[in-house]
Amino acid sequence: MNSVIGTIKSLLLYLCCIALVHADDLIRVQLDMKDGVFTPATIVVPAGRKIKITVRNTGNSAAEFESVSLRKEKVLAPGAQSFIVIAPLRAGQYAFFDDFHLHMPQGVIVAQ
């Protein structure tokens, strides 16, 4: 019985270590939106890695991060902050825009 419990404990410890290692694989990026302007406008990330983009609206009006190719959108009130998690991307370019400021230039995520 003790050997079974010991084996289970070892297995749980192993699984926890794997989870911690994979948590470090997450690429973290900060994106500011201010009245239709993205900073940075180009985000370069490694292909094949999960991405967490923390989005802040530092502008005076509502903003909406939207990407048709990534199938992501996030509406932010002025002063609000949130995040978007993106599954690992193939190498390429993925446009995004502020749906509330369509007259402003788009941004792009470049996966290399």
Side-chain angles (χ1 to χ4, degrees):
M1 181 72 163
N2 285 339
S3 66
V4 172
I5 292 173
T7 302
I8 291 171
K9 286 182 181 179
S10 295
L11 181 60
L12 288 174
L13 179 61
Y14 174 75
L15 292 173
C16 288
C17 289
I18 288 175
L20 288 174
V21 167
H22 287 293
D24 289 341
D25 286 346
L26 186 67
I27 301 298
R28 298 176 197 308
V29 178
Q30 175 77 41
L31 176 67
D32 289 337
M33 299 175 71
K34 184 173 184 179
D35 304 319
V37 177
F38 296 106
T39 306
T42 300
I43 299 171
V44 180
V45 297
R49 300 277 301 274
K50 196 175 200 181
I51 306 159
K52 178 180 179 182
I53 301 176
T54 301
V55 184
R56 293 187 314 173
N57 181 2
T58 58
N60 296 318
S61 61
E64 180 178 2
F65 174 96
E66 184 161 344
S67 174
V68 175
S69 59
L70 297 172
R71 293 181 292 204
K72 298 286 182 184
E73 61 183 312
K74 181 71 69 170
V75 176
L76 298 169
Q81 175 175 308
S82 189
F83 65 90
I84 299 164
V85 176
I86 300 172
L89 298 172
R90 292 183 178 172
Q93 295 189 4
Y94 303 85
F96 59 88
F97 56 95
D98 182 344
D99 203 23
F100 295 159
H101 298 90
L102 292 174
H103 62 285
M104 299 299 287
Q106 294 187 353
V108 65
I109 297 172
V110 179
Q112 303 177 329

